[in-house]
Amino acid sequence: EPEVTQTPSHQVTQMGQEVILRCVPISNHLYFYWYRQILGQKVEFLVSFYNNEISEKSEIFDDQFSVERPDGSNFTLKIRSTKLEDSAMYFCASSEAGARQPQHFGDGTRLSIL
Amino acid sequence: SQQGEEDPQALSIQEGENATMNCSYKTSINNLQWYRQNSGRGLVHLILIRSNEREKHSGRLRVTLDTSKKSSSLLITASRAADTASYFCATDESDFGNEKLTFGTGTRLTIIP
């Protein structure tokens, strides 16, 4: 069964550095998402992406964050000037038809900011 | 309280028993979805119920939706050790259907062999 893949599985970065989290969504899906989950807390929406542009973003997704679909398969989340509070699991998801269909999640990237 | 709150927060039952988890939400929704998360893993979609549906089944799973009470329940029958996980409800409130899911706080289910 097709699945969403994320790399790396664990990223350790010094505070202030930039990180890029990578995702390969399911190939025929059109909607892409990033969520994050701080340890012990609920999964929080960051951003949705459709037709090569951001369709919605949360208050968390400020100028520090950006997303890109550089080619036909990858979907990336860039975090600039990382802060300690950016430490979390970051999940990529994709869907055939937006939030009215199931979203398929990757196993996440655990980001640790030191 | 926040959109999508599950109760109980934690539930431990004996293998073979049924497990029921509840979810409440606050706004109008297009659909409600249930996901499972094993420790350290991503979320796995279990079942989606649309706002005009009242009940849905999938294998050992039964989901109900009461839009008048803004609540949903997930029933897992004949539980197995492999069902041990956290379970989250998630709501789609969007007007256009391409935006976010709002997740609840989750129920941590432990099945005792």
Side-chain angles (χ1 to χ4, degrees):
Chain A
E1 184 175 322
E3 58 183 28
V4 175
T5 57
Q6 291 186 242
T7 55
S9 57
H10 191 190
Q11 174 80 46
V12 181
T13 301
Q14 292 289 329
M15 185 172 59
Q17 297 295 306
E18 174 182 287
V19 295
I20 297 177
L21 309 183
R22 304 181 190 279
C23 170
V24 179
I26 295 173
S27 60
N28 64 332
H29 286 185
L30 302 176
Y31 297 83
F32 313 112
Y33 308 85
W34 285 101
Y35 293 82
R36 80 173 185 189
Q37 185 179 32
I38 295 171
L39 186 64
Q41 298 186 23
K42 62 167 67 178
V43 175
E44 301 174 288
F45 169 79
L46 293 179
V47 65
S48 59
F49 192 87
Y50 170 71
N51 200 26
N52 285 318
E53 60 183 21
I54 291 173
S55 54
E56 186 174 355
K57 59 184 180 180
S58 70
E59 293 176 353
I60 303 168
F61 195 90
D62 59 20
D63 291 343
Q64 186 193 3
F65 294 87
S66 62
V67 290
E68 193 177 36
R69 189 157 162 79
D71 53 42
S73 60
N74 291 287
F75 180 50
T76 62
L77 174 68
K78 181 187 290 186
I79 310 175
R80 290 178 284 272
S81 300
T82 50
K83 299 174 279 195
L84 294 177
E85 54 264 39
D86 295 327
S87 295
M89 283 289 287
Y90 288 81
F91 293 105
C92 173
S94 68
S95 171
E96 284 185 74
R100 300 189 184 184
Q101 293 292 327
Q103 294 187 13
H104 297 258
F105 285 75
D107 278 342
T109 292
R110 179 175 301 283
L111 178 62
S112 300
I113 307 299
L114 305 179
Chain B
S1 60
Q2 300 178 35
Q3 179 84 346
E5 290 206 342
E6 287 93 329
D7 82 272
Q9 289 188 340
L11 178 63
S12 291
I13 60 173
Q14 294 288 331
E15 190 169 19
E17 293 181 341
N18 296 341
T20 299
M21 291 159 271
N22 303 294
C23 167
S24 60
Y25 58 92
K26 299 183 77 67
T27 65
S28 297
I29 62 171
N30 299 305
N31 67 64
L32 185 144
Q33 305 180 32
W34 284 90
Y35 287 81
R36 184 186 74 228
Q37 185 181 33
N38 290 87
S39 180
R41 302 296 300 275
L43 295 107
V44 175
H45 179 262
L46 296 175
I47 198 163
L48 181 154
I49 186 166
R50 304 193 188 282
S51 60
N52 61 352
E53 297 175 308
R54 291 298 166 257
E55 187 170 313
K56 204 159 183 181
H57 297 254
S58 176
R60 293 183 297 114
L61 306 180
R62 173 178 168 258
V63 168
T64 62
L65 179 64
D66 186 335
T67 53
S68 66
K69 295 181 179 178
K70 291 186 167 57
S71 67
S72 173
S73 67
L74 170 67
L75 168 68
I76 303 174
T77 60
S79 62
R80 304 167 182 170
D83 295 329
T84 294
S86 291
Y87 291 81
F88 296 88
C89 68
T91 53
D92 162 28
E93 310 139 35
S94 61
D95 292 330
F96 303 106
N98 62 344
E99 287 93 23
K100 64 183 181 183
L101 290 176
T102 300
F103 282 84
T105 50
T107 293
R108 190 170 62 254
L109 175 66
T110 302
I111 307 301
I112 303 166

Short mmCIF file of all heavy atoms in Angstrom, two decimals, chain A residues 45-102:
data_model
loop_
_atom_site.label_atom_id
_atom_site.label_comp_id
_atom_site.label_asym_id
_atom_site.label_seq_id
_atom_site.Cartn_x
_atom_site.Cartn_y
_atom_site.Cartn_z
N PHE A 45 -2.19 21.55 13.58
CA PHE A 45 -2.07 21.88 12.16
C PHE A 45 -1.09 23.03 11.97
O PHE A 45 -1.11 24.02 12.71
CB PHE A 45 -3.44 22.27 11.63
CG PHE A 45 -3.45 22.89 10.28
CD1 PHE A 45 -3.33 22.10 9.14
CD2 PHE A 45 -3.58 24.26 10.13
CE1 PHE A 45 -3.36 22.68 7.88
CE2 PHE A 45 -3.60 24.84 8.87
CZ PHE A 45 -3.49 24.04 7.75
N LEU A 46 -0.23 22.91 10.98
CA LEU A 46 0.66 24.01 10.61
C LEU A 46 0.22 24.65 9.30
O LEU A 46 -0.01 25.86 9.25
CB LEU A 46 2.10 23.50 10.46
CG LEU A 46 2.80 23.02 11.72
CD1 LEU A 46 4.21 22.52 11.38
CD2 LEU A 46 2.88 24.13 12.75
N VAL A 47 0.13 23.83 8.24
CA VAL A 47 -0.09 24.41 6.92
C VAL A 47 -0.67 23.36 5.98
O VAL A 47 -0.42 22.17 6.13
CB VAL A 47 1.24 24.96 6.37
CG1 VAL A 47 2.23 23.83 6.13
CG2 VAL A 47 1.05 25.79 5.13
N SER A 48 -1.48 23.82 5.05
CA SER A 48 -1.94 22.96 3.96
C SER A 48 -1.50 23.56 2.63
O SER A 48 -1.36 24.80 2.51
CB SER A 48 -3.46 22.77 4.01
OG SER A 48 -4.12 24.02 3.91
N PHE A 49 -1.33 22.71 1.64
CA PHE A 49 -0.72 23.12 0.37
C PHE A 49 -1.47 22.41 -0.74
O PHE A 49 -1.64 21.19 -0.72
CB PHE A 49 0.75 22.69 0.40
CG PHE A 49 1.61 23.26 -0.67
CD1 PHE A 49 2.23 24.49 -0.52
CD2 PHE A 49 1.87 22.53 -1.83
CE1 PHE A 49 3.06 25.01 -1.50
CE2 PHE A 49 2.70 23.05 -2.81
CZ PHE A 49 3.31 24.27 -2.65
N TYR A 50 -1.91 23.19 -1.71
CA TYR A 50 -2.67 22.62 -2.83
C TYR A 50 -2.40 23.46 -4.06
O TYR A 50 -2.34 24.69 -3.99
CB TYR A 50 -4.16 22.61 -2.51
CG TYR A 50 -5.05 22.27 -3.68
CD1 TYR A 50 -5.09 20.98 -4.19
CD2 TYR A 50 -5.83 23.26 -4.29
CE1 TYR A 50 -5.89 20.68 -5.28
CE2 TYR A 50 -6.63 22.96 -5.38
CZ TYR A 50 -6.66 21.66 -5.87
OH TYR A 50 -7.44 21.35 -6.94
N ASN A 51 -2.23 22.80 -5.17
CA ASN A 51 -2.04 23.51 -6.45
C ASN A 51 -0.86 24.47 -6.37
O ASN A 51 -0.94 25.61 -6.84
CB ASN A 51 -3.33 24.25 -6.82
CG ASN A 51 -3.41 24.59 -8.29
OD1 ASN A 51 -2.79 23.92 -9.13
ND2 ASN A 51 -4.14 25.65 -8.60
N ASN A 52 0.20 23.99 -5.73
CA ASN A 52 1.46 24.74 -5.63
C ASN A 52 1.39 26.02 -4.83
O ASN A 52 2.20 26.94 -5.04
CB ASN A 52 2.04 25.02 -7.02
CG ASN A 52 2.66 23.79 -7.64
OD1 ASN A 52 3.34 23.03 -6.97
ND2 ASN A 52 2.40 23.59 -8.91
N GLU A 53 0.42 26.09 -3.93
CA GLU A 53 0.41 27.24 -3.05
C GLU A 53 -0.23 26.87 -1.71
O GLU A 53 -0.96 25.88 -1.60
CB GLU A 53 -0.33 28.41 -3.68
CG GLU A 53 -1.79 28.15 -4.01
CD GLU A 53 -2.42 29.34 -4.69
OE1 GLU A 53 -1.70 30.18 -5.25
OE2 GLU A 53 -3.66 29.43 -4.65
N ILE A 54 0.09 27.68 -0.71
CA ILE A 54 -0.48 27.48 0.60
C ILE A 54 -1.97 27.78 0.56
O ILE A 54 -2.38 28.85 0.06
CB ILE A 54 0.23 28.36 1.65
CG1 ILE A 54 1.67 27.88 1.87
CG2 ILE A 54 -0.53 28.37 2.96
CD1 ILE A 54 2.50 28.79 2.76
N SER A 55 -2.79 26.86 1.04
CA SER A 55 -4.23 27.09 1.06
C SER A 55 -4.70 27.54 2.43
O SER A 55 -5.70 28.25 2.55
CB SER A 55 -4.99 25.85 0.61
OG SER A 55 -4.61 24.73 1.37
N GLU A 56 -4.01 27.13 3.47
CA GLU A 56 -4.34 27.60 4.82
C GLU A 56 -3.12 27.41 5.70
O GLU A 56 -2.34 26.50 5.51
CB GLU A 56 -5.53 26.86 5.42
CG GLU A 56 -5.99 27.42 6.75
CD GLU A 56 -7.26 26.77 7.28
OE1 GLU A 56 -7.85 25.94 6.58
OE2 GLU A 56 -7.66 27.11 8.41
N LYS A 57 -2.96 28.31 6.66
CA LYS A 57 -1.89 28.16 7.63
C LYS A 57 -2.38 28.59 9.01
O LYS A 57 -3.30 29.39 9.12
CB LYS A 57 -0.65 28.96 7.23
CG LYS A 57 -0.89 30.44 7.07
CD LYS A 57 0.38 31.13 6.58
CE LYS A 57 0.15 32.63 6.42
NZ LYS A 57 1.38 33.32 5.94
N SER A 58 -1.76 28.02 10.03
CA SER A 58 -2.16 28.34 11.39
C SER A 58 -1.33 29.50 11.92
O SER A 58 -0.37 29.96 11.27
CB SER A 58 -1.97 27.11 12.29
OG SER A 58 -0.59 26.86 12.50
N GLU A 59 -1.68 29.93 13.11
CA GLU A 59 -0.92 31.01 13.75
C GLU A 59 0.51 30.60 14.04
O GLU A 59 1.41 31.43 14.13
CB GLU A 59 -1.62 31.42 15.05
CG GLU A 59 -2.98 32.07 14.85
CD GLU A 59 -3.66 32.36 16.17
OE1 GLU A 59 -3.16 31.96 17.22
OE2 GLU A 59 -4.72 33.01 16.14
N ILE A 60 0.72 29.31 14.19
CA ILE A 60 2.06 28.82 14.46
C ILE A 60 2.96 29.05 13.25
O ILE A 60 4.15 29.35 13.38
CB ILE A 60 2.03 27.30 14.77
CG1 ILE A 60 1.12 27.00 15.95
CG2 ILE A 60 3.44 26.77 15.02
CD1 ILE A 60 0.81 25.53 16.11
N PHE A 61 2.40 28.94 12.09
CA PHE A 61 3.15 29.01 10.83
C PHE A 61 3.43 30.47 10.49
O PHE A 61 2.76 31.08 9.66
CB PHE A 61 2.36 28.32 9.71
CG PHE A 61 3.18 28.03 8.48
CD1 PHE A 61 3.84 26.83 8.36
CD2 PHE A 61 3.25 28.94 7.45
CE1 PHE A 61 4.58 26.54 7.22
CE2 PHE A 61 3.99 28.68 6.30
CZ PHE A 61 4.66 27.47 6.19
N ASP A 62 4.44 31.03 11.17
CA ASP A 62 4.79 32.43 10.93
C ASP A 62 5.95 32.52 9.93
O ASP A 62 6.24 31.54 9.23
CB ASP A 62 5.12 33.12 12.26
CG ASP A 62 6.28 32.45 12.99
OD1 ASP A 62 7.06 31.73 12.34
OD2 ASP A 62 6.39 32.64 14.21
N ASP A 63 6.58 33.66 9.86
CA ASP A 63 7.62 33.89 8.85
C ASP A 63 8.84 32.99 9.05
O ASP A 63 9.69 32.91 8.16
CB ASP A 63 8.08 35.36 8.91
CG ASP A 63 7.00 36.29 8.42
OD1 ASP A 63 6.05 35.79 7.76
OD2 ASP A 63 7.07 37.49 8.70
N GLN A 64 8.91 32.33 10.17
CA GLN A 64 10.02 31.41 10.42
C GLN A 64 9.88 30.15 9.57
O GLN A 64 10.87 29.46 9.32
CB GLN A 64 10.00 31.04 11.91
CG GLN A 64 11.14 30.21 12.40
CD GLN A 64 10.88 29.64 13.78
OE1 GLN A 64 9.81 29.82 14.35
NE2 GLN A 64 11.85 28.94 14.32
N PHE A 65 8.67 29.86 9.14
CA PHE A 65 8.37 28.62 8.44
C PHE A 65 8.12 28.89 6.95
O PHE A 65 7.58 29.93 6.57
CB PHE A 65 7.12 27.95 9.02
CG PHE A 65 7.26 27.48 10.43
CD1 PHE A 65 7.02 28.34 11.49
CD2 PHE A 65 7.63 26.18 10.71
CE1 PHE A 65 7.13 27.91 12.81
CE2 PHE A 65 7.75 25.73 12.03
CZ PHE A 65 7.50 26.60 13.07
N SER A 66 8.47 27.91 6.13
CA SER A 66 8.08 27.96 4.72
C SER A 66 7.95 26.53 4.21
O SER A 66 8.53 25.60 4.77
CB SER A 66 9.10 28.74 3.89
OG SER A 66 10.36 28.12 3.93
N VAL A 67 7.16 26.38 3.16
CA VAL A 67 6.99 25.08 2.54
C VAL A 67 7.26 25.21 1.06
O VAL A 67 7.09 26.29 0.47
CB VAL A 67 5.58 24.46 2.76
CG1 VAL A 67 5.39 24.04 4.20
CG2 VAL A 67 4.50 25.43 2.32
N GLU A 68 7.63 24.07 0.47
CA GLU A 68 7.96 24.08 -0.94
C GLU A 68 7.72 22.70 -1.51
O GLU A 68 7.88 21.69 -0.82
CB GLU A 68 9.45 24.47 -1.11
CG GLU A 68 9.85 24.80 -2.50
CD GLU A 68 11.30 25.24 -2.58
OE1 GLU A 68 12.13 24.70 -1.83
OE2 GLU A 68 11.61 26.11 -3.41
N ARG A 69 7.32 22.69 -2.77
CA ARG A 69 7.23 21.43 -3.48
C ARG A 69 8.18 21.59 -4.68
O ARG A 69 7.76 22.00 -5.77
CB ARG A 69 5.80 21.17 -3.93
CG ARG A 69 5.58 19.79 -4.51
CD ARG A 69 4.12 19.42 -4.41
NE ARG A 69 3.75 18.33 -5.29
CZ ARG A 69 3.99 17.05 -5.05
NH1 ARG A 69 4.62 16.69 -3.94
NH2 ARG A 69 3.61 16.12 -5.88
N PRO A 70 9.44 21.30 -4.46
CA PRO A 70 10.47 21.64 -5.45
C PRO A 70 10.40 20.81 -6.73
O PRO A 70 10.88 21.25 -7.77
CB PRO A 70 11.77 21.37 -4.70
CG PRO A 70 11.41 20.38 -3.64
CD PRO A 70 10.00 20.69 -3.25
N ASP A 71 9.77 19.64 -6.65
CA ASP A 71 9.64 18.80 -7.84
C ASP A 71 8.32 18.06 -7.72
O ASP A 71 7.51 18.36 -6.86
CB ASP A 71 10.84 17.86 -7.98
CG ASP A 71 11.07 17.05 -6.71
OD1 ASP A 71 10.09 16.58 -6.12
OD2 ASP A 71 12.23 16.92 -6.30
N GLY A 72 8.13 17.06 -8.55
CA GLY A 72 6.84 16.39 -8.56
C GLY A 72 6.62 15.43 -7.43
O GLY A 72 5.51 14.90 -7.29
N SER A 73 7.64 15.21 -6.58
CA SER A 73 7.46 14.20 -5.56
C SER A 73 7.71 14.70 -4.14
O SER A 73 7.08 14.24 -3.20
CB SER A 73 8.38 13.01 -5.84
OG SER A 73 9.73 13.41 -5.85
N ASN A 74 8.61 15.64 -3.95
CA ASN A 74 8.97 16.06 -2.59
C ASN A 74 8.14 17.24 -2.12
O ASN A 74 7.69 18.08 -2.89
CB ASN A 74 10.45 16.44 -2.54
CG ASN A 74 11.35 15.24 -2.71
OD1 ASN A 74 11.49 14.44 -1.82
ND2 ASN A 74 11.93 15.12 -3.90
N PHE A 75 7.97 17.27 -0.79
CA PHE A 75 7.27 18.38 -0.13
C PHE A 75 8.07 18.68 1.12
O PHE A 75 8.28 17.80 1.95
CB PHE A 75 5.84 17.94 0.20
CG PHE A 75 5.00 18.98 0.88
CD1 PHE A 75 4.90 20.27 0.39
CD2 PHE A 75 4.27 18.65 2.02
CE1 PHE A 75 4.10 21.22 1.01
CE2 PHE A 75 3.46 19.59 2.65
CZ PHE A 75 3.39 20.88 2.14
N THR A 76 8.59 19.91 1.23
CA THR A 76 9.52 20.21 2.32
C THR A 76 8.97 21.29 3.24
O THR A 76 8.19 22.17 2.82
CB THR A 76 10.88 20.67 1.77
OG1 THR A 76 10.69 21.87 1.02
CG2 THR A 76 11.51 19.61 0.89
N LEU A 77 9.41 21.21 4.48
CA LEU A 77 9.14 22.24 5.48
C LEU A 77 10.48 22.79 5.94
O LEU A 77 11.33 22.04 6.39
CB LEU A 77 8.39 21.64 6.67
CG LEU A 77 8.15 22.58 7.87
CD1 LEU A 77 7.18 23.70 7.51
CD2 LEU A 77 7.63 21.80 9.08
N LYS A 78 10.66 24.09 5.79
CA LYS A 78 11.88 24.74 6.23
C LYS A 78 11.57 25.56 7.46
O LYS A 78 10.58 26.31 7.50
CB LYS A 78 12.44 25.63 5.13
CG LYS A 78 13.74 26.34 5.52
CD LYS A 78 14.18 27.35 4.47
CE LYS A 78 14.65 26.71 3.20
NZ LYS A 78 15.19 27.70 2.23
N ILE A 79 12.42 25.42 8.46
CA ILE A 79 12.30 26.22 9.68
C ILE A 79 13.60 27.01 9.83
O ILE A 79 14.68 26.43 9.97
CB ILE A 79 12.07 25.35 10.93
CG1 ILE A 79 10.92 24.36 10.71
CG2 ILE A 79 11.76 26.24 12.14
CD1 ILE A 79 10.72 23.38 11.86
N ARG A 80 13.47 28.32 9.78
CA ARG A 80 14.65 29.18 9.91
C ARG A 80 14.83 29.59 11.36
O ARG A 80 13.86 29.66 12.12
CB ARG A 80 14.47 30.43 9.05
CG ARG A 80 14.54 30.18 7.56
CD ARG A 80 14.29 31.47 6.78
NE ARG A 80 12.87 31.81 6.79
CZ ARG A 80 11.99 31.37 5.89
NH1 ARG A 80 12.40 30.56 4.94
NH2 ARG A 80 10.72 31.72 5.95
N SER A 81 16.08 29.87 11.73
CA SER A 81 16.39 30.39 13.07
C SER A 81 15.63 29.61 14.15
O SER A 81 14.81 30.16 14.89
CB SER A 81 16.02 31.87 13.17
OG SER A 81 16.74 32.62 12.23
N THR A 82 15.92 28.31 14.20
CA THR A 82 15.18 27.44 15.12
C THR A 82 15.30 27.89 16.57
O THR A 82 16.34 28.42 17.00
CB THR A 82 15.66 26.00 14.98
OG1 THR A 82 17.09 25.97 15.07
CG2 THR A 82 15.22 25.39 13.66
N LYS A 83 14.22 27.63 17.30
CA LYS A 83 14.15 27.96 18.72
C LYS A 83 13.92 26.68 19.51
O LYS A 83 13.48 25.66 18.96
CB LYS A 83 13.00 28.93 18.97
CG LYS A 83 13.15 30.24 18.23
CD LYS A 83 11.92 31.12 18.38
CE LYS A 83 10.83 30.69 17.43
NZ LYS A 83 9.76 31.72 17.30
N LEU A 84 14.19 26.75 20.80
CA LEU A 84 14.02 25.57 21.64
C LEU A 84 12.60 25.02 21.55
O LEU A 84 12.38 23.80 21.51
CB LEU A 84 14.36 25.88 23.10
CG LEU A 84 15.82 26.23 23.40
CD1 LEU A 84 15.99 26.60 24.88
CD2 LEU A 84 16.75 25.07 23.05
N GLU A 85 11.64 25.93 21.47
CA GLU A 85 10.24 25.52 21.45
C GLU A 85 9.79 24.91 20.13
O GLU A 85 8.65 24.47 19.99
CB GLU A 85 9.32 26.69 21.83
CG GLU A 85 9.53 27.94 21.01
CD GLU A 85 10.47 28.93 21.70
OE1 GLU A 85 11.46 28.52 22.32
OE2 GLU A 85 10.20 30.15 21.59
N ASP A 86 10.68 24.88 19.15
CA ASP A 86 10.38 24.19 17.90
C ASP A 86 10.58 22.69 18.02
O ASP A 86 10.23 21.93 17.11
CB ASP A 86 11.25 24.73 16.75
CG ASP A 86 10.95 26.17 16.42
OD1 ASP A 86 9.78 26.59 16.55
OD2 ASP A 86 11.90 26.89 16.03
N SER A 87 11.15 22.24 19.12
CA SER A 87 11.35 20.81 19.34
C SER A 87 10.00 20.12 19.38
O SER A 87 9.13 20.47 20.19
CB SER A 87 12.09 20.57 20.66
OG SER A 87 13.39 21.09 20.61
N ALA A 88 9.82 19.13 18.51
CA ALA A 88 8.53 18.45 18.38
C ALA A 88 8.67 17.35 17.34
O ALA A 88 9.69 17.24 16.66
CB ALA A 88 7.44 19.43 17.94
N MET A 89 7.61 16.56 17.23
CA MET A 89 7.48 15.65 16.08
C MET A 89 6.75 16.42 14.98
O MET A 89 5.72 17.05 15.25
CB MET A 89 6.66 14.42 16.45
CG MET A 89 7.41 13.37 17.25
SD MET A 89 8.65 12.51 16.28
CE MET A 89 7.61 11.47 15.25
N TYR A 90 7.27 16.35 13.79
CA TYR A 90 6.65 17.01 12.65
C TYR A 90 6.15 15.93 11.70
O TYR A 90 6.91 15.09 11.24
CB TYR A 90 7.64 17.93 11.95
CG TYR A 90 7.93 19.17 12.76
CD1 TYR A 90 8.84 19.15 13.81
CD2 TYR A 90 7.26 20.38 12.49
CE1 TYR A 90 9.07 20.28 14.58
CE2 TYR A 90 7.50 21.51 13.25
CZ TYR A 90 8.40 21.45 14.29
OH TYR A 90 8.63 22.57 15.06
N PHE A 91 4.86 15.99 11.42
CA PHE A 91 4.22 15.00 10.56
C PHE A 91 3.81 15.63 9.24
O PHE A 91 3.21 16.70 9.21
CB PHE A 91 2.98 14.41 11.23
CG PHE A 91 3.26 13.58 12.44
CD1 PHE A 91 3.00 14.08 13.71
CD2 PHE A 91 3.78 12.31 12.32
CE1 PHE A 91 3.26 13.31 14.84
CE2 PHE A 91 4.04 11.53 13.44
CZ PHE A 91 3.77 12.03 14.70
N CYS A 92 4.12 14.93 8.18
CA CYS A 92 3.62 15.27 6.86
C CYS A 92 2.41 14.39 6.57
O CYS A 92 2.36 13.22 7.01
CB CYS A 92 4.72 15.03 5.84
SG CYS A 92 4.24 15.21 4.13
N ALA A 93 1.45 14.90 5.87
CA ALA A 93 0.28 14.12 5.47
C ALA A 93 -0.13 14.51 4.06
O ALA A 93 0.17 15.61 3.59
CB ALA A 93 -0.88 14.34 6.44
N SER A 94 -0.81 13.59 3.40
CA SER A 94 -1.34 13.91 2.09
C SER A 94 -2.74 13.31 1.96
O SER A 94 -3.11 12.38 2.68
CB SER A 94 -0.43 13.40 0.97
OG SER A 94 -0.39 11.99 0.91
N SER A 95 -3.49 13.85 1.03
CA SER A 95 -4.87 13.43 0.84
C SER A 95 -5.23 13.57 -0.63
O SER A 95 -4.73 14.46 -1.32
CB SER A 95 -5.78 14.31 1.69
OG SER A 95 -7.14 14.08 1.40
N GLU A 96 -6.11 12.69 -1.09
CA GLU A 96 -6.59 12.78 -2.47
C GLU A 96 -7.44 14.01 -2.68
O GLU A 96 -7.42 14.62 -3.73
CB GLU A 96 -7.43 11.55 -2.81
CG GLU A 96 -6.66 10.29 -3.08
CD GLU A 96 -7.59 9.17 -3.52
OE1 GLU A 96 -8.06 9.22 -4.66
OE2 GLU A 96 -7.85 8.28 -2.70
N ALA A 97 -8.24 14.33 -1.67
CA ALA A 97 -9.27 15.35 -1.88
C ALA A 97 -9.50 16.15 -0.63
O ALA A 97 -10.64 16.29 -0.18
CB ALA A 97 -10.57 14.70 -2.35
N GLY A 98 -8.46 16.69 -0.06
CA GLY A 98 -8.61 17.60 1.05
C GLY A 98 -9.06 16.92 2.32
O GLY A 98 -8.93 15.71 2.51
N ALA A 99 -9.62 17.72 3.22
CA ALA A 99 -9.97 17.22 4.54
C ALA A 99 -11.26 16.39 4.51
O ALA A 99 -11.65 15.84 5.51
CB ALA A 99 -10.12 18.38 5.51
N ARG A 100 -11.89 16.28 3.37
CA ARG A 100 -13.11 15.48 3.29
C ARG A 100 -12.81 14.04 2.92
O ARG A 100 -13.71 13.24 2.70
CB ARG A 100 -14.09 16.12 2.30
CG ARG A 100 -14.43 17.51 2.79
CD ARG A 100 -15.53 18.20 2.07
NE ARG A 100 -15.67 19.55 2.61
CZ ARG A 100 -16.61 20.40 2.25
NH1 ARG A 100 -17.50 20.06 1.36
NH2 ARG A 100 -16.65 21.61 2.78
N GLN A 101 -11.54 13.72 2.82
CA GLN A 101 -11.08 12.36 2.63
C GLN A 101 -10.03 12.06 3.69
O GLN A 101 -9.47 12.98 4.28
CB GLN A 101 -10.47 12.19 1.23
CG GLN A 101 -11.47 12.33 0.10
CD GLN A 101 -12.47 11.21 0.07
OE1 GLN A 101 -12.14 10.08 0.43
NE2 GLN A 101 -13.69 11.51 -0.32
N PRO A 102 -9.75 10.79 3.94
CA PRO A 102 -8.72 10.48 4.93
C PRO A 102 -7.39 11.11 4.58
O PRO A 102 -7.02 11.21 3.40
CB PRO A 102 -8.63 8.95 4.86
CG PRO A 102 -9.95 8.51 4.35
CD PRO A 102 -10.40 9.59 3.41
#
